Amino acid sequence: MSDTPIQRWWTIVSALEPTHPARTALRAYSLAFTLSLGPALVKTLSSSIRAKGRRVDVAPLVQLLAKELRHDGFAFAVATAAAGGPALSSLWNRFANSKQNFSIRQRFATLLALPDSLKKRLEGFDLPQEHQLVLFNAVAAAVGFNFLQAGGKRSLREKGRQPSYPSPTLDFTLLLVVRAMDSVVQSFIQKLSSPSITLSKTNGNGVNHAQNGTSRHTSKDSKASTVTKTLHKAGSHVATQVDAFVFWVCTSRIMWCFFYDPHRLPRSYVKWIATLAHLDSRLIRTLQLIKSNDWSYIAGSPKNLGLLQEYAVELGLPASWGNPELVPAYGGAAATAVWQQLGVKSRPGVGGIPCELVHGKLGAKLGCPTRSCHVNATLRIYQGLIQALAIYLPVHFIPTLLTRPSSLLQLGVISRLAAGALRSSAFLSSFIALYYYAVCCTRTLVLARLFPSISHQIWDGPYGGMFVGSLVCGSSIWIENGKRRSEMALYVLPRALRTLLPRKLSAKWLPLASLFEGGAFVVSMAVLLHAAAEQPDSLRGLSRWTLSFVTKGFDALGEKREPPEHKP
């Protein structure tokens, strides 16, 4: 029985080297296709589970599948950018080393009918091997970026929208830019602490005196090795602290934008934060109205009077608790008298809406009192821990499952991975609880009580409790493992950078913005691919794992990182 075309094709591909451009393209395409189609597939499966016999709508999944299988789909564009460089380099070497009478450069010059002076320069042009792949990677990245842009514009046209800013590819470009910058920084740090530099500094002028013999040479080597290890350890410690600081700064900006300028963040990211925070949209809208002075404790809010009143009724509380015309704007004895009339017992001496509205439905669902800020923070930790475990258990176990599945039979490995997942979950749950608790400390427990003469238009405004919460929540990163701090920092940095870019651009600036983004995409992709081939130790976390898989395959994922060899 003869093999099918697919079987014959697979036999040919399997016989190739893992680093062959065809296999690199196949791995890049498969990974990108999975990442693009995965969320839609999960959404479809979850809807089918909830349907309980009703018909499930798979049309969005089919549409996404058809979109991704096109030449301008995400998977094909990424495969082109990742494998196009090695493919072009292989073709160049094949033609450049041809034994025919005319080289490829001569034929190219003749075909274009170039002037004689340019023909001679082109015929004598020889691209160095170390620069060749970098150049071809940049060319392939440019082609891949054009595919991404074409796919994004086509999607906008199908939705009846015109190309606008930010572009559909901006988030992916920022991700590449941040990862490339990190690779450059890590490469620089490694050069500073390399054994050769350390040895040179230790030896002074680098001259070994013959009269001291081998013993002195060995002593210097040992001293240099000790200094290198010390510098490496100190550098790693400083790096983790810098990563934690970057995460703290980025999350402060992100969380503030989540409440007051969510359009600066990706929609999916805003939805993810809202899911974890369990905040009612009406409460968020009220905060935005306070910022614009359209909801005021002092002047009232006729147009939005029922916004929080409806929310209060849903929580089983009197509607008056959400009425800005009745709620006291300032603290002190006057506020206590108002609260007695409204039946609020949890805010003596403090103004502003009761914290029961801020805490939301969580306490009522779990049968716990909603008035206590301390209880609310505890419940947020509990709920966040359950949610975070569902996120971090796969994050910690899947890489080991893919690279070293047999090690999961060892109790020590399982314990280590479970402890890592629990620690990461504690970080995320603390992030959520710290935000809530910082808000409560600002507007109820501490600051508002110390300064009752300050209006709650300030305490509940953009630079009051929400600002303090944004500053405090990111400090939970110090709970996380040092190595994972870097990945968390690299995860939030592109999103924080996005909030600093203009929200909109006029039509005349769109071509320039597209050109600038394309340049950033091309340079970043070229840097990352060069690092994967020449300096894999300069890559960290997800970028190291992804590029190792794309360029070398599954076998590279299980490789252990060896320390730099010490050469005297």
Side-chain angles (χ1 to χ4, degrees):
M1 186 175 181
S2 60
D3 294 336
T4 64
I6 295 179
Q7 289 175 328
R8 289 195 297 270
W9 173 82
W10 180 251
T11 301
I12 295 173
V13 172
S14 301
L16 299 175
E17 292 291 329
T19 55
H20 192 277
R23 296 191 66 174
T24 300
L26 182 61
R27 289 191 296 266
Y29 188 94
S30 302
L31 181 61
F33 188 79
T34 302
L35 292 175
S36 181
L37 199 64
L41 183 60
V42 171
K43 183 178 180 180
T44 302
L45 292 175
S46 61
S47 63
S48 65
I49 294 174
R50 293 193 301 266
K52 296 181 180 180
R54 291 175 295 175
R55 186 175 180 179
V56 180
D57 185 16
V58 296
L61 183 62
V62 174
Q63 293 175 359
L64 182 60
L65 183 62
K67 172 187 172 182
E68 288 303 320
L69 290 175
R70 292 172 57 97
H71 75 281
D72 56 2
F74 179 72
F76 189 85
V78 170
T80 301
L88 290 174
S89 180
S90 177
L91 290 174
W92 173 273
N93 291 329
R94 180 175 297 181
F95 285 111
N97 296 330
S98 175
K99 296 182 180 180
Q100 298 177 3
N101 294 331
F102 294 96
S103 68
I104 186 63
R105 294 184 293 275
Q106 290 173 319
R107 293 188 179 188
F108 184 69
T110 304
L111 181 64
L112 293 180
L114 298 174
D116 292 338
S117 59
L118 291 180
K119 285 182 181 180
K120 292 181 180 179
R121 291 187 180 183
L122 185 61
E123 291 171 3
F125 177 73
D126 186 19
L127 188 64
Q129 185 69 28
E130 60 270 18
H131 300 154
Q132 185 183 114
L133 190 56
V134 175
L135 175 60
F136 288 132
N137 281 336
V139 172
V143 175
F145 179 75
N146 285 329
F147 285 153
L148 284 175
Q149 285 277 292
K153 292 177 181 178
R154 178 175 54 81
S155 297
L156 290 176
R157 287 195 301 269
E158 292 174 353
K159 297 176 182 178
R161 297 164 54 190
Q162 295 296 323
S164 59
Y165 182 87
S167 71
T169 59
L170 180 61
D171 293 328
F172 187 52
T173 300
L174 288 175
L175 184 147
L176 294 179
V177 168
V178 167
R179 297 285 174 167
M181 290 172 54
D182 181 66
S183 175
V184 172
V185 171
Q186 294 302 315
S187 177
F188 177 73
I189 293 175
Q190 290 172 9
K191 287 181 180 179
L192 288 180
S193 60
S194 64
S196 58
I197 295 179
T198 304
L199 182 60
S200 175
K201 292 180 179 179
T202 305
N203 287 340
N205 57 11
V207 177
N208 290 321
H209 299 282
Q211 64 269 24
N212 291 320
T214 307
S215 60
R216 180 166 181 172
H217 182 75
T218 304
S219 175
K220 288 185 177 182
D221 291 347
S222 177
K223 183 178 180 181
S225 178
T226 302
V227 172
T228 300
K229 292 179 180 178
T230 303
L231 288 175
H232 180 72
K233 186 176 181 180
S236 299
H237 176 73
V238 172
T240 58
Q241 301 305 315
V242 171
D243 291 332
F245 178 77
V246 170
F247 177 88
W248 172 72
V249 172
C250 291
T251 52
S252 298
R253 172 64 178 171
I254 288 171
M255 292 305 298
W256 194 89
C257 287
F258 167 77
F259 286 101
Y260 298 108
D261 207 352
H263 299 290
R264 290 185 176 274
L265 295 168
R267 292 182 181 179
S268 58
Y269 196 54
V270 172
K271 186 177 180 180
W272 184 74
I273 295 175
T275 301
L276 290 176
H278 291 278
L279 276 170
D280 191 271
S281 60
R282 287 164 294 188
L283 187 61
I284 297 176
R285 180 59 183 158
T286 300
L287 293 172
Q288 295 169 354
L289 291 173
I290 290 176
K291 180 176 181 290
S292 61
N293 287 322
D294 292 322
W295 200 97
S296 174
Y297 289 108
I298 300 173
S301 181
K303 295 182 180 180
N304 305 283
L305 193 62
L307 191 61
L308 281 188
Q309 293 188 74
E310 295 175 359
Y311 181 48
V313 172
E314 283 189 16
L315 294 175
L317 303 172
S320 58
W321 290 18
N323 189 340
E325 296 181 354
L326 299 178
V327 170
Y330 299 89
T336 303
V338 173
W339 291 133
Q340 289 177 352
Q341 295 176 4
L342 295 178
V344 178
K345 301 179 180 179
S346 59
R347 301 185 68 76
V350 183
I353 62 172
C355 265
E356 285 87 337
L357 274 70
V358 178
H359 299 163
K361 303 177 182 179
L362 179 60
K365 287 181 179 180
L366 299 178
C368 297
T370 58
R371 71 171 66 174
S372 172
C373 298
H374 310 293
V375 172
N376 178 67
T378 304
L379 294 178
R380 295 290 171 178
I381 291 179
Y382 167 76
Q383 185 185 51
L385 191 64
I386 301 300
Q387 291 178 309
L389 280 173
I391 297 172
Y392 283 111
L393 281 174
V395 168
H396 282 263
F397 276 86
I398 286 180
T400 303
L401 181 63
L402 293 176
T403 58
R404 302 184 305 275
S406 59
S407 64
L408 292 177
L409 299 176
Q410 303 174 15
L411 182 60
V413 174
I414 294 178
S415 300
R416 177 174 55 82
L417 294 175
L422 187 61
R423 184 171 183 174
S424 297
S425 301
F427 141 72
L428 185 55
S429 60
S430 298
F431 183 97
I432 300 170
L434 279 173
Y435 200 105
Y436 272 96
Y437 199 60
V439 170
C440 289
C441 284
T442 302
R443 67 182 309 273
T444 300
L445 300 177
V446 182
L447 294 182
R449 292 187 182 278
L450 291 176
F451 305 100
S453 60
I454 296 179
S455 167
H456 266 265
Q457 199 69 17
I458 302 297
W459 296 127
D460 291 343
Y463 301 105
M466 310 312 292
F467 181 72
V468 174
S470 298
L471 288 178
V472 169
C473 62
S475 61
S476 65
I477 189 62
W478 273 274
I479 297 175
E480 183 59 279
N481 179 276
K483 292 183 178 179
R484 287 204 45 84
R485 290 177 195 170
S486 63
E487 190 60 36
M488 298 304 300
L490 294 175
Y491 176 79
V492 299
L493 184 54
R495 292 154 178 83
L497 291 177
R498 192 183 196 271
T499 66
L500 302 178
L501 298 177
R503 284 184 54 185
K504 292 182 179 180
L505 289 177
S506 59
K508 69 176 182 179
W509 292 107
L510 288 180
L512 182 61
S514 179
L515 181 64
F516 185 80
E517 182 189 346
F521 183 97
V522 169
V523 172
S524 300
M525 181 65 78
V527 167
L528 288 171
L529 291 174
H530 175 74
E534 303 295 334
Q535 294 179 304
D537 285 338
S538 66
L539 300 172
R540 300 192 294 172
L542 187 61
S543 55
R544 179 181 177 87
W545 188 95
T546 302
L547 289 170
S548 295
F549 167 71
V550 169
T551 58
K552 300 176 183 178
F554 275 109
D555 293 339
L557 300 181
E559 293 179 359
K560 294 183 178 180
R561 300 178 63 175
E562 298 293 339
E565 182 182 357
H566 174 61
K567 295 181 180 180

